């Protein structure tokens, strides 16, 4: 709750500074809205005239950017109404130069929210704001000065062109009523200013709390991924090595045991069980956090998934470098889930993995020629996968009509952490990639 709403509930509110702060805030919003209205009309007129020569087309296209200046000014003004400062909602450009800046600004929702807020302020709100200030302050102030008006006039004063005052006692009564109105005007002034500040926060920084929650969830996911890697490392370096040593010891013991006897059969059974446990542990370790993903990146990890798949999988993944660990992990498990679904549920005979980094986003597509019918809302692994992608501010979409084909698409905004080129392009034939 904003500070002004709490102040309204306190006794003695008209004697505080809040009515004057509210009046100053509304006056600032109204005057800046009037100036913005004049600037936008002049801007549009000049751009419209020059558009005949095609010179004004870029000028008209730049009109939404006026919201950036208006939004920054509104974020400064809203401090008068208390509460937490409104953070800048705009993203940092992916690279240097005006082209990267313009691409980010025109592509983000914050720019268009602020453009809408600027149009609202310029063509609708500022007359209302100035009228509220004038009605709440000028009229009571004029009534308060009634005795002075009577003294200067000498005989009578016309109050609101309704009645004539002749006696000083009448003038002082009207002045007292004006003072009471001036004290009471602080309430509607503050309510109007609070509503205006709430609108400014919604348009300029309405996603701030959501952004904080997303960042908090991302930090939890980072901690979870770090814990997964620690568990994978402990299993790989600890339990897996012990099972390898046990399997070797059992193999040596089989060499010393008399062949064909009960002891040899029991050792052979124990050796087989140890090998099976070792194979299951290796699959478990790989599923927790694949070592190839941490060591060599997403393209090679996708190639590894293709090698492990029972389907022939063509892999075409090309990235400009290593991506953030959370992004690589989300992309890897998206590909893994898509290939697993194609093999287990889709009845596919082949699949394809395509990946690129473009426009500040990782784009991954997994397609198969299966029967289709995949539904993320049916409680499958796609629901959890969509949540995992959403944590890194990504988006997952699935196109899977009955009869196929199925296309899973993942888009995750990210910036490469290295400049080394990382690519894997390995279309496979069924004989080279299928594994029973």
């Amino acid at each position: 709750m904003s500070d002004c709403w709490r102040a309204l509930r306190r006794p003695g509110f008209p004697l505080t500074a809040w009515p004057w702060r509210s009046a100053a805030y509304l006056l600032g919003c109204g005057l800046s809205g009037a100036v913005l209205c004049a600037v936008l009309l002049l801007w549009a007129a000049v751009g419209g005239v020059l558009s005949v020569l095609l010179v004004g087309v870029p000028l008209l296209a730049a009109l939404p950017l006026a919201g950036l200046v208006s939004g920054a000014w509104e974020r400064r003004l809203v401090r008068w109404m208390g509460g937490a400062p409104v953070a800048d909602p705009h993203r940092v450009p992916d690279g240097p130069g005006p082209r990267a800046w313009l691409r980010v600004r025109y592509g983000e929702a914050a720019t268009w929210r602020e453009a809408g807020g600027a149009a609202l302020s310029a063509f609708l709100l500022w007359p209302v704001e100035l009228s509220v200030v004038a009605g709440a302050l000028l009229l009571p102030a004029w009534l308060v000065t009634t005795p002075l008006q009577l003294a200067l006039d000498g005989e009578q004063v016309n109050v609101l062109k309704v009645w004539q005052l002749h006696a000083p006692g009448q003038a002082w009564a009207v002045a007292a009523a004006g003072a009471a109105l001036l004290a009471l005007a602080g309430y509607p002034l503050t309510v109007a200013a609070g509503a205006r500040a709430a609108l400014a926060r919604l348009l300029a920084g309405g996603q701030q709390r959501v952004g904080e929650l997303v960042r908090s969830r991302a930090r939890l996911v980072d901690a979870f991924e770090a814990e997964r890697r620690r568990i994978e490392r402990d299993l790989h370096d600890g339990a897996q090595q012990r099972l390898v040593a046990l399997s070797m010891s059992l193999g040596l013991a089989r060499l010393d045991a008399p062949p064909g006897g009960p002891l040899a059969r029991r050792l052979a059974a124990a050796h087989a069980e140890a090998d099976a446990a070792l194979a299951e542990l290796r699959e478990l370790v790989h599923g927790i956090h694949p070592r190839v993903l941490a060591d060599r990146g997403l393209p090679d990890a996708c190639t590894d998934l293709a090698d492990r798949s029972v389907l022939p999988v063509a892999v075409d993944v090309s990235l400009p470098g290593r991506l953030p660990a959370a992004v690589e992990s989300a992309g890897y498990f998206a590909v893994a889930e898509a290939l697993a679904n194609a093999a287990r549920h889709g009845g596919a005979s082949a699949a394809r993995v395509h990946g690129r980094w473009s426009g500040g986003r990782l784009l991954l597509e997994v397609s198969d020629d299966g029967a289709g019918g995949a539904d993320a809302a049916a409680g499958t692994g796609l629901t959890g996968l969509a949540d995992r992608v959403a944590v890194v501010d990504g988006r997952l979409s699935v196109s899977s009509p009955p009869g196929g084909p199925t296309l899973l698409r993942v888009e995750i905004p990210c910036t490469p952490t290295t400049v080394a080129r990382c690519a894997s392009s390995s279309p496979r034939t069924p004989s080279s990639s299928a594994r029973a």
Side-chain angles (χ1 to χ4, degrees):
M1 181 184 293
S2 181
D3 295 346
C4 66
W5 303 118
R6 287 191 291 264
L8 279 168
R9 302 178 179 180
R10 298 171 186 167
F13 168 77
L15 302 178
T16 65
W18 273 107
W20 304 107
R21 291 174 63 177
S22 301
Y25 175 67
L26 286 177
L27 185 61
C29 290
L31 294 177
S32 60
V35 172
L36 181 62
C37 178
V39 170
L40 290 180
L41 290 177
L42 180 62
W43 193 337
V46 173
V49 171
L50 294 179
S51 63
V52 179
L53 304 175
L54 299 181
V55 180
V57 175
L59 196 62
L60 292 176
L63 263 176
L65 298 181
L68 302 180
V69 179
S70 174
W73 174 244
E74 293 248 356
R75 290 195 296 273
R76 292 182 66 87
L77 277 181
V78 82
R79 298 177 185 176
W80 281 86
M81 300 307 296
V86 180
D88 188 347
H90 298 286
R91 292 191 290 116
V92 178
D94 300 324
R99 292 187 61 183
W101 186 85
L102 289 173
R103 183 171 60 248
V104 171
R105 290 296 167 263
Y106 277 103
E108 62 183 357
T111 299
W112 300 102
R113 284 202 311 271
E114 289 187 337
L120 193 64
S121 178
F123 302 113
L124 180 63
L125 294 181
W126 72 266
V128 177
E129 293 158 356
L130 294 182
S131 299
V132 169
V133 174
L137 296 183
L138 295 184
L139 175 61
W142 191 80
L143 293 177
V144 168
T145 61
T146 302
L148 179 61
Q149 297 176 47
L150 182 61
L152 293 176
D153 187 82
E155 294 182 359
Q156 64 181 14
V157 62
N158 191 345
V159 179
L160 300 178
K161 297 181 179 181
V162 175
W163 70 89
Q164 303 290 331
L165 298 180
H166 301 275
Q170 294 175 333
W172 283 107
V174 172
L181 283 177
L182 189 61
L184 294 176
Y187 288 96
L189 264 178
T190 305
V191 169
R196 180 66 175 86
L199 178 62
R201 288 179 178 275
L202 178 65
L203 292 175
Q207 303 298 318
Q208 182 180 7
R209 179 58 179 163
V210 177
E212 291 175 359
L213 293 175
V214 170
R215 288 190 291 271
S216 175
R217 187 169 61 171
R219 287 193 294 269
L220 290 176
V221 170
D222 289 340
F224 177 66
E225 289 296 331
E227 185 66 14
R228 285 166 62 99
R229 288 192 292 270
R230 185 192 65 80
I231 294 174
E232 181 269 338
R233 185 172 57 252
D234 291 345
L235 289 176
H236 182 273
D237 298 337
Q240 183 170 302
Q241 298 304 319
R242 289 179 178 274
L243 280 176
V244 170
L246 174 62
S247 179
M248 293 178 62
S249 298
L250 289 173
L252 293 174
R254 290 178 62 188
L255 296 177
D256 295 335
L263 179 59
R265 289 193 296 271
R266 291 176 183 174
L267 286 175
H271 194 192
E273 288 292 332
D275 288 342
L278 181 59
E280 291 181 4
L281 182 60
R282 283 173 176 163
E283 290 297 326
L284 176 63
V285 169
H286 190 275
I288 291 176
H289 191 82
R291 182 62 61 93
V292 65
L293 178 64
D295 294 343
R296 301 175 62 181
L298 185 59
D300 288 336
C302 290
T303 302
D304 181 67
L305 283 173
D307 291 337
R308 291 171 172 269
S309 176
V310 297
L311 300 175
V313 181
V315 179
D316 179 19
V317 180
S318 178
L319 302 177
R322 292 298 299 269
L323 303 179
V327 174
E328 288 189 337
S329 179
Y332 172 84
F333 284 105
V335 174
E337 181 71 21
L339 292 180
N341 286 343
R344 296 173 186 170
H345 311 297
S349 60
R352 182 175 182 269
V353 179
H354 174 78
R356 289 291 183 272
W357 184 87
S358 176
R361 290 176 176 269
L362 169 66
L363 306 175
L364 281 175
E365 293 182 346
V366 183
S367 57
D368 66 72
D369 59 356
D375 185 7
T380 63
L382 293 176
T383 303
L385 188 58
D387 293 339
R388 176 188 286 270
V389 172
V391 167
V392 289
D393 202 22
R395 183 177 62 179
L396 180 142
S397 59
V398 179
S399 172
S400 184
T406 296
L407 173 64
L408 182 142
R409 180 182 175 89
V410 174
E411 300 180 30
I412 305 176
C414 59
T415 302
T417 57
T418 63
V419 296
R421 188 159 188 84
C422 185
S424 174
S425 180
S426 51
R428 288 174 170 77
T429 61
S431 60
S432 62
S433 68
R435 208 176 89 170

